[in-house]
Amino acid sequence: MGEDIEWRVFALTGIICVVQTFFDLAPEGPWDSRSFTRGVIGLIGIGCLYISWFRFTFNQKGVIPIIKIWKNPGSSWLPVMIFGIMCYVFVISINELEMDKHFPKTTGMILLLMGSLSILNATYVWLVVNGPLSEKEVLEQE
């Protein structure tokens, strides 16, 4: 693990793919729908951004952040939970302030998916490290 895992290429590719969803530059593609093509390219961009984040954060290749590779899971689950909640708040505020016309149509759905996965991951880590599923609980009961 001594060498740095390259994450910048994925980050740049992801940013370009996501930014293009705000503009109508994509071809119609085989499905004759420019907006669907923009969405597919945007989803590829989100995937690239996730891979970039994973490589930057854990300095290894992969996509599943298992608890063993977290540096300090006992305290780092909270920022992940806050990020998930902020995704929810952002979507609600976009809808309440009627700003959704400035974003691609699927922005809310994608952000809710990201928020839900973050909250699920943070909850799992908390349950296993600090909560009722931790080994500390099992040892105390014996």
Side-chain angles (χ1 to χ4, degrees):
M1 277 230 209
E3 82 258 10
D4 285 334
I5 301 296
E6 184 55 42
W7 57 271
R8 292 173 190 87
V9 173
F10 283 101
L12 181 63
T13 303
I15 289 169
I16 291 169
C17 289
V18 169
V19 167
Q20 70 78 37
T21 62
F22 290 92
F23 306 101
D24 195 13
L25 303 174
E28 288 185 357
W31 33 74
D32 294 329
S33 174
R34 295 169 68 99
S35 65
F36 186 79
T37 303
R38 284 184 10 226
V40 168
I41 295 170
L43 285 173
I44 291 169
I46 289 172
C48 287
L49 289 173
Y50 177 80
I51 292 170
S52 172
W53 166 83
F54 188 94
R55 288 181 174 199
F56 176 77
T57 303
F58 300 113
N59 197 29
Q60 67 182 32
K61 295 179 180 179
V63 292
I64 301 173
I66 59 174
I67 294 175
K68 287 181 183 179
I69 63 175
W70 286 42
K71 288 182 181 146
N72 190 2
S75 63
S76 58
W77 67 269
L78 187 58
V80 175
M81 178 70 77
I82 291 170
F83 171 77
I85 293 169
M86 288 185 63
C87 286
Y88 275 54
V89 169
F90 185 68
V91 169
I92 292 168
S93 64
I94 285 175
N95 290 334
E96 289 295 319
L97 299 174
E98 297 180 6
M99 293 177 47
D100 54 344
K101 60 183 170 264
H102 301 293
F103 293 96
K105 292 180 183 178
T106 58
T107 300
M109 181 179 62
I110 300 296
L111 285 174
L112 285 176
L113 175 64
M114 289 170 48
S116 297
L117 292 173
S118 297
I119 290 170
L120 180 65
N121 184 283
T123 302
Y124 170 71
V125 170
W126 177 81
L127 285 170
V128 171
V129 175
N130 299 329
L133 300 179
S134 71
E135 291 183 10
K136 293 181 267 185
E137 284 284 323
V138 174
L139 294 175
E140 289 173 6
Q141 290 177 358
E142 292 178 356

